[in-house]
Amino acid sequence: MTAPHDEDIKQYVISVKVENRFGVLARVAGLFSARGYNIDSLAVSATEQEDVSVMTIVVRGNDRVIEQVKKQLNKLIDVIKVSDHSDMPTVERELVLVKVNAPPNKRPEIYQLGEIFRADIADISQKTITLGVKGDPDQVQNFIELLKPYGIKELMRTGRVSLLKE
Amino acid sequence: MKIKGAEIIVECLKKEKVECMFGYPGGVVIPIFHALHNAPFKFILTRHEQGAVHAADGYARASGKVGVVIATSGPGATNCVTGIATAHLDSVPLVVFTGQVTRQQIGNDAFQEVDSTGITRPITKHNYLVQDIKDLAGIIKEAFYIASTGRPGPVLIDVPVDISKGEHKFAYPDTVHIRSYKPVYEGHPGQIKKACQLIETSKRPVIYAGGGVVISNASKELREFVMKTQIPVTTTLLGLGVYPETDRLALEMLGMHGTYYANHAVNESDLLIAVGARFDDRVTGKISDFIPNAKVIHIDIDPASVSKTVPVDVPIVGDCRRVLTQMIEQIKAPKIDEWLAEIDRLKREHPLTYERNGDDRIKPQFVVEEIYRQTKGDAIICTEVGQNQMWAAQFYKYTQPRTFISSGGLGTMGYGFPAAIGAQLARPDKRVIDIAGDGSIQMNIQELIVAVQHRLPVIIAILNNGFLGMVRQWQQLFFDRRYSHTCIDFAPDFVKLAEAYGAEGIRIKTYDEVAPALQKALAITDRPIILDFIVSREENVYPMVPAGQSFKEIIMREMLA
C-alpha cells in the first residue's frame, strides 16, 4: 500500500468508538502512521458512557486505503465501532483560539467581527486580543480568514467533533 | 487464599491445559520461572528467544493448539519480535509472556527496559501491559481466547516484575466477553446462495485454497466440496496439503514459483473461489493482469482481507469449515468437462521439471523428491526461506494439512529448524524434516542442542549450494549476475558441527548416496541428524513469475535451455 497520489485524495471524517483504556490512541494512530498518512485533526472525547471514548479523526487519503484502514480499525480489539462521517449528515463543532494583532485603532473592527461570530474575548493585552470561537469547521475557517489581515500571532484549533444527525 | 502473581500465571496455564511451553529466563522473570519449576507441563529451554517463539509457532501449526512462550524484558522481548511477526503474518495462535521492570520503573530507562507493548503493537493481534494483579488471570484468559479464535494470531502479555511478586487470590473466569470482538463464523445464507449460483453456471472455475483452510480444519470439507463439484484446486504455500497433490484435480501451488498449470488455470478462469487465502502479492503478481476474466468468490474469516487488493464479487465472511459445510448442502456440480480436459492437457504438457544431468553435483530438487519417496509422503516438512522453501513446496507432494510448515508471509530465514523442534514435540509420532539452505540453517543453529537434549530425531536436510541462493538467483536474472555478498562457501563443516552438538552428521555428494543417507537418518530415532547435501551451485527455482509482473511473463526452465 503506497501513500496516496494527489489526484484521488479526499478528506475523510472517521468516528471511532473505543474502550476508554490506555494504549488505544496509539493503536488507532498507528494504523494511519504505518501507511504514511498524516492525521489532520484528532479529538478524543468522553461520551455518555463512562468506559467509552470517541475519537474523531480527520485525515486525507484515497478511498481504497481509507476503506482498508477502517477495516483494520474494526479489527482492533479495543475498537467498538467505526463510522465514516465523510458523506453523512452530521453536526460538527470545533473550537479555535486566535491571538491577533490589535492596535487601538483596529480594536473596534475586531470586536465587531467577534460579535458576528459570537466569539468570546479570552484575553486582552497591550498589542493583542485573543478570541475564542466555536462553530462548525467552515465557520471557524471563515473567522480565521477574516482575522488574517490583522496579523495572527498564534492560532490553535481543537479539531472537530462530529455526531450523526438523527 | 492469596498466591503470588507468578503462581497465578502457572495456574492459568494449567487451566488452559498447556502441555508444552517454550522460553528463556532472565532477571525480571525469575519469579515466574520459580513458579514454573514445579509446573506439570513440559518446559523447553531454547538457546535464544527467537528460537523459543518459532518453536512455539511450529508446535501450534503442527497441533492446532496455542503456542506459549516466556521471555524476559528488554533483549528477551526484542529477540521475540521476529518470531511474533512471523506468527502474525501467518495467523498462528501464540501467547507470549514477557517480563517487564517494576511498574514504578517503567519509562525511566531502567536496566533491560523496553516498551514491549509499544514495539509489538503492529505485530500482535492484541497485547497487554498488566497494571494490576487483580486483572492478571482475566487478561490471560482473554489472551488465549483472542489468540485462538477468529483469525488467530499472537497475543503478548507484558508482566511487570512487581506484579509477578505480588499476591492476590486466584480465580479463573469461565467465560470471556469482549463486546468489541465478535468473530463471525457462519456464512451469510444469501451470500452462500449467490456463490453457489455463480459456481453452478461457471465454465472455468478454480478453487484457490490458503492457510485459512488449514487453520479452520476444513480440509475434509474442502475435499467433499471438490468431490461434489469436480472443480480443480490450487493452493497457496501455506495451504499445501489441504487437498491431496496426488489427485487429478490438484493444480498444486500457484504464484511466483507455482506450477505453470496452476497459474495458467487461474489466469484463464472465469470464476475464482478463494477459500481462506488473502491474494498475497507473491500469488497475484501484477494485480491488473491476475484474473482478467474471472468473477471472485472470497470466503474468509477476516473482513479486512476481503477486497483488499483484488475486488470481490461475492464475499462470504465466516469460518472456512462452516461456510464450506453450508455450501456442500446445496451446491450442484457445474458442467466443466471441457475445462477439465484443458487442465489435464496443461498438467501433461507443463509438468514441474529439473534436469538431472549437466553438473556432477546433485540437483536439489532430486533431494526433495527422494525425501518424499523415502518418507512415503508421511512426514512433516518444515522449511527455511528461499530456494529450499520453494523446492520443498514444489517437489514433495503434500496430501495432508499441517504437514507443511513454513514462514510464508514474513519469509523468516531461520524459522524452519526451531519450528521443526516445536512440530516434533507436538507430533512425536511423525518424522519431522527441516528442508534448509546453508544460509538459513546458520541463523538459528544454536537450537541444535535443544533437539539433542530432548532426543528429538529432527532431520535437517541442508541443500548446500554455498550461496544465499534465492537472492543469487535474482542477481543472476535481474542484476547483471553481480553476486554481491551472496556467496557463502566460506562455511562451517556441518558434519563436524553436528558431532560437536552430539547429533549425527552425514555429508552427501553423489546421487547414489542420497537414498542410503536418508534411510540411515530415518532409522535414527533418538537424536537429530544433519544431512549436508552438496548440491548444484547455481540451480534456479522455476517456473518464476518475476515480482510485480503477470503470468504472461512467466519464466520456464525450458525457455532458458
Side-chain angles (χ1 to χ4, degrees), chain B residues 216-349:
Chain B
S216 71
N217 296 314
S219 179
K220 185 171 144 277
E221 287 72 12
L222 178 73
R223 289 167 198 220
E224 262 177 63
F225 184 82
V226 176
M227 186 97 84
K228 260 190 115 169
T229 58
Q230 294 296 300
I231 299 174
V233 186
T234 178
T235 73
T236 67
L237 182 72
L238 294 190
L240 289 175
V242 297
Y243 192 81
E245 295 194 293
T246 45
D247 187 76
R248 176 192 167 197
L249 292 173
L251 298 166
E252 299 156 71
M253 185 172 75
L254 83 168
M256 180 177 278
H257 294 296
T259 61
Y260 181 91
Y261 34 95
N263 284 317
H264 186 100
V266 166
N267 191 247
E268 292 281 304
S269 66
D270 68 346
L271 178 65
L272 190 65
I273 306 156
V275 191
R278 61 183 177 87
F279 297 89
D280 181 86
D281 57 272
R282 285 296 190 262
V283 160
T284 62
K286 191 176 174 187
I287 295 274
S288 55
D289 296 337
F290 172 52
I291 36 170
N293 307 309
K295 293 227 153 121
V296 178
I297 297 169
H298 191 179
I299 303 167
D300 205 292
I301 199 153
D302 178 7
S305 285
V306 176
S307 294
K308 184 171 61 178
T309 54
V310 171
V312 172
D313 299 279
V314 184
I316 305 174
V317 174
D319 174 67
C320 294
R321 190 160 63 87
R322 302 226 195 147
V323 173
L324 284 172
T325 306
Q326 288 169 276
M327 288 176 83
I328 290 165
E329 285 165 13
Q330 50 181 290
I331 192 83
K332 290 189 204 68
K335 293 188 176 55
I336 51 172
D337 291 346
E338 272 176 53
W339 177 232
L340 292 182
E342 192 179 334
I343 299 262
D344 286 340
R345 182 182 59 79
L346 285 168
K347 283 182 79 167
R348 204 168 47 241
E349 289 175 4

Side-chain angles (χ1 to χ4, degrees), chain B residues 203-222:
Chain B
K203 299 269 177 281
R204 297 189 306 280
V206 175
I207 294 168
Y208 149 53
V213 180
V214 180
I215 293 167
S216 71
N217 296 314
S219 179
K220 185 171 144 277
E221 287 72 12
L222 178 73

Side-chain angles (χ1 to χ4, degrees), chain B residues 72 124 129 139 167-168 256 264 325 340 389 394 510 537:
Chain B
T72 194
T124 49
L129 169 63
I139 284 174
E167 288 190 342
H168 198 261
M256 180 177 278
H264 186 100
T325 306
L340 292 182
Q389 180 185 32
Q394 291 176 333
T510 66
R537 291 210 69 192

Side-chain angles (χ1 to χ4, degrees), chain B residues 533-547:
Chain B
F533 293 99
I534 310 300
V535 299
S536 178
R537 291 210 69 192
E538 295 187 44
E539 185 67 10
N540 285 344
V541 180
Y542 294 116
M544 178 178 195
V545 180

Side-chain angles (χ1 to χ4, degrees), chain A residues 1 18-23 26-28 49 51-52 64 68 71-72 74-81, chain B residues 117 121 124-131 142 146 151 178-181 302-309:
Chain A
M1 215 166 280
V18 300
E19 297 286 351
N20 185 7
R21 283 188 196 137
F22 73 96
R27 287 181 208 280
V28 169
Q49 285 166 281
D51 53 352
V52 173
R64 201 173 60 84
Q68 180 59 209
K71 286 177 175 174
Q72 295 290 344
N74 263 315
K75 273 176 80 169
L76 294 178
I77 305 290
D78 289 334
V79 167
I80 300 165
K81 193 173 181 216
Chain B
T117 48
R121 193 170 293 130
T124 49
K125 186 170 172 186
H126 196 53
N127 64 19
Y128 297 89
L129 169 63
V130 185
Q131 289 199 307
E142 270 187 24
I146 290 170
R151 177 177 179 175
I178 306 168
R179 63 176 156 184
S180 51
Y181 175 70
D302 178 7
S305 285
V306 176
S307 294
K308 184 171 61 178
T309 54

Side-chain angles (χ1 to χ4, degrees), chain B residues 341-419:
Chain B
E342 192 179 334
I343 299 262
D344 286 340
R345 182 182 59 79
L346 285 168
K347 283 182 79 167
R348 204 168 47 241
E349 289 175 4
H350 303 279
L352 282 170
T353 59
Y354 63 94
E355 276 180 56
R356 227 186 109 158
N357 52 359
D359 187 332
D360 293 336
R361 292 201 186 198
I362 310 163
K363 284 294 168 77
Q365 299 94 327
F366 176 82
V367 176
V368 176
E369 283 184 335
E370 198 57 41
I371 289 172
Y372 176 66
R373 277 191 288 269
Q374 294 297 331
T375 58
K376 299 180 181 66
D378 192 35
I380 291 176
I381 302 295
C382 299
T383 81
E384 303 294 337
V385 166
Q387 290 185 317
N388 62 80
Q389 180 185 32
M390 291 301 115
W391 287 320
Q394 291 176 333
F395 288 93
Y396 186 102
K397 300 301 162 205
Y398 299 89
T399 56
Q400 292 300 324
R402 301 194 185 280
T403 59
F404 178 80
I405 294 177
S406 187
S407 167
L410 196 67
T412 308
M413 287 173 70
Y415 168 81
F417 177 50

Side-chain angles (χ1 to χ4, degrees), chain A residues 11-18 24-33 37-45 53-60 73 93-95 157-162:
Chain A
Q11 193 179 60
Y12 295 80
V13 181
I14 298 168
S15 178
V16 190
K17 204 191 249 193
V18 300
V24 181
L25 177 60
R27 287 181 208 280
V28 169
L31 289 180
F32 291 92
S33 63
Y37 275 37
N38 193 11
I39 293 175
D40 289 342
S41 82
L42 167 68
V44 185
S45 325
S53 305
V54 166
M55 296 181 187
T56 310
I57 302 165
V58 180
V59 64
R60 270 166 300 177
L73 282 169
R93 289 292 181 272
E94 179 170 13
L95 178 72
R157 297 171 76 152
T158 55
R160 72 183 80 177
V161 291
S162 166

